[in-house]
DNA sequence: TATGAATGAGCTTTCATTCAT
DNA sequence: AATGAATGAAAGCTCATTCAT
């Protein structure tokens, strides 16, 4: 697939409806039938729209998928930022727990679509994934800055990097490993990893 | 792609040559041109072999890729097991460092192919990836058992799971985040995460 | 060949043109070049249409042939029914002669296509052939009912079966046996077989 | 398929075994899996022989099938001739009955193979079928000559032609029409058709 | 602007046939 | 003579994309 050639941003209300219908149909087909079945013709049909319209709005097939992925990533980033605002002053154990729970919940919620994208359109998802990771690191770093005197790591970039990576890795593993996501004590253990890294010991139950 | 139908195991010498040539060509095309360009005809041509031969040995397209992935995973598992034997008695800081370095080195070595697979044929790689993860957890668990009295976690399954996930996550992040893999202090930081999780503090400098 | 999967019924005018062109091209290629040469690409080319269009209307290769055969059978059945209406009250010798002549004429007319189908796509023609035979028996039986008091056979189902089979067999033989179709007295002899079976003697010349 | 290029007639005992094994495997595959699955490689494998050997004996694929069909036709012709010798002096009702019964029995016996050939390799079967029909007419004609003074038809060629065609037609119909072959009274009715044609009336019961 | 019929390059797969061993 | 690995033309079919209406 060549990089997208042209797209028309929807300006009228009717156009916005069409645009959204296509993205929604894309998500639906992707999840229900897989990337291989997600042809532009199929997507258009499911969206109740002609192929021609799809090409009017998205330029080419890649454009449809990147738009969908961008939308998902934007939501994820918005969630992160919302949480960051609410948690900036929270004590570490609380913030960590909130972060871990949020990631697990997100994964749980659109697990099917994340899997579909990461397993079959991963190359299209890379830029979005990078954006999410970068924003995650920025948010985490900002938190670490605000709590710098309470934690061991001094290189905050490195610490943010490590934190985002380790949590992501454990969460991914949990969903990748049949049944692991439901383990009792999983979220707690992930928090323990985080706290021991940042504090050198488990949080005092204070 | 349907699951593979039938394959003929090579018996004559030249048959083995053909078989290997096809797998090698697959890796090469995958890395150099991407999954989309890796048609069976292209692979056969690069292998210097006819398409017919490809289908004689692999049954269908999927079979070629899964054979390649299996081969890569087998190597990875062999490496793990070799390391496990050598490191079982090693003190934690040494073992951790070896594990982390090995993972980073592996990633470095066939980065291109891992990326190609995980970004474009991830669905075919799942079984192999699971095998590697499961074996990793088994190896790590065996190490933890042998050192159970020196570490904090008591649920060794959960600990092995967390360790494999966190390290994988940080290593992946490092290669995913442009430039991060080369950061000085990266391996050290990953080890620090591991040690603080297992010991509650950094390892005493002997 | 698998049973047909899906087809789009033509709605626009040009679509109908395309549909018909494909069927006509199929007949032409089948007759002129044989079933083996009648690939979907060849048919499409002869029809002056792209392969894609062929698959839009017929779903798969088998679909093209069965549509053609169905069309031929429908014509044949329509002819039968037309004749049945006109001949129901006719005396046996006249009706028999008309039936035999009609079969010979039909065979003569699209001999090439019947041969092509029966010799190279017979398995696809079976359902159509069955339909034609069943309808033939029905029509003949109706005639026999109307003339039941004038004929020897009392089991009309069996008689209809025998009549349709015997006439078909002799007509087929005539066209199968080089030159036999042109024999003088052939039609007359077939009628004689029919009349002697039904009456026990040749028809009185009134 | 091009007409056969060369074949080596088996001269040694071992060669004859191979030759027969291939023909038998062809029949088996044809009946059990259909013409489409009857590739030369498959046939060779079922015959327990290498493809190379198949090509040594039969020159090309068509050669295998025509050899098989020839063999079947030869058997059929031998049967006909055997019957002719035994029946030449028999009275008409007896001879007719024997002929009809023999045809029905033959059909019954290798119904599957006849169907396989006539439905999927009819073009290869034409020459053989012609030979059988021609021989049938010859045999019937010889019988008619010997009984010329007892029958109505005077053009014996035409009569033989009609007889062979009509009986074949009714027998074929019987097997083509689901269930008809098992009808009670079927053979009798076919004989009745024959006798009325030849005598103008049913045979006097001696 | 929206439609959907039409396009055709290109993919996966099969199989008759060859020929070095 | 026998083997079976290798060949590669060609088949059926899909789908991203275009464009006349």
């Amino acid at each position: 697939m060549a990089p997208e050639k042209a797209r028309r941003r929807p300006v009228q209300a009717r156009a916005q409806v069409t645009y959204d219908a296509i993205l929604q149909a894309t998500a639906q087909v992707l999840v229900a039938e897989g990337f291989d079945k997600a042809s532009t013709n199929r997507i258009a049909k499911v969206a109740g729209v002609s192929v021609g319209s799809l090409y009017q709005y998205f330029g080419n097939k890649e454009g449809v998928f990147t738009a969908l992925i961008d939308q998902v990533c934007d939501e994820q980033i918005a969630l992160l930022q919302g949480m960051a605002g609410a948690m900036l002053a929270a004590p570490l154990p609380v913030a960590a727990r909130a972060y871990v729970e949020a990631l697990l919940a997100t994964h749980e919620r659109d697990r099917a679509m994340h899997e579909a994208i990461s397993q079959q359109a991963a190359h299209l998802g890379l830029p979005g994934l990078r954006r999410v990771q970068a924003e995650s690191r920025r948010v985490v770093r900002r938190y670490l800055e605000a709590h710098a005197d309470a934690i061991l790591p001094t290189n905050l970039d490195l610490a943010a990097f490590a934190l985002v990576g380790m949590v992501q890795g454990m969460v991914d593993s949990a969903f990748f490993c049949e049944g692991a996501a439901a383990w009792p004590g999983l979220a707690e253990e992930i928090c323990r990893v985080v706290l021991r890294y940042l504090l050198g010991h488990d949080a005092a139950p204070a």
Side-chain angles (χ1 to χ4, degrees), chain A residues 31-118:
Chain A
V31 166
E33 311 176 39
F35 185 73
D36 289 356
K37 293 284 176 53
S39 67
T40 50
N41 281 293
R42 177 103 190 86
I43 290 171
K45 172 157 288 172
V46 170
V49 153
S50 73
V51 228
S53 293
L54 185 151
Y55 278 87
Q56 208 124 52
Y57 288 111
F58 296 94
N60 62 22
K61 190 187 181 185
E62 183 174 328
V64 183
F65 285 98
T66 53
L68 174 62
I69 291 170
D70 276 354
Q71 184 178 284
V72 171
C73 291
D74 286 346
E75 286 171 18
Q76 179 76 359
I77 286 177
L79 184 116
L80 263 174
Q81 294 176 330
M83 203 168 64
M87 285 292 158
L88 192 56
L92 228 171
V94 175
R97 187 72 189 223
Y99 181 62
V100 169
E101 298 279 14
L103 264 193
L104 284 167
T106 300
H107 238 100
E108 187 73 66
R109 185 162 51 80
D110 25 46
R111 175 178 195 164
M113 191 172 145
H114 275 137
E115 275 181 9
I117 291 174
S118 74

Side-chain angles (χ1 to χ4, degrees), chain A residues 99-100 103 107 132-134 136-138 140 157-173 190 193-194 197:
Chain A
Y99 181 62
V100 169
L103 264 193
H107 238 100
V132 172
Q133 286 211 353
S136 298
R137 283 198 286 269
R138 208 168 297 129
V140 168
D157 284 324
L158 189 51
F161 171 91
L163 284 165
V164 170
M166 74 178 75
V167 175
Q168 187 75 51
M170 289 183 284
V171 169
D172 285 350
S173 275
I190 297 176
V193 174
V194 166
Y197 169 59

Side-chain angles (χ1 to χ4, degrees), chain A residues 4 7 28 46 64 75 84 107 120 141 143 148 154 202:
Chain A
E4 190 176 358
R7 89 165 70 171
Q28 179 183 324
V46 170
V64 183
E75 286 171 18
H107 238 100
Q120 310 196 274
R141 209 209 117 101
Y143 180 87
T154 53
D202 300 346

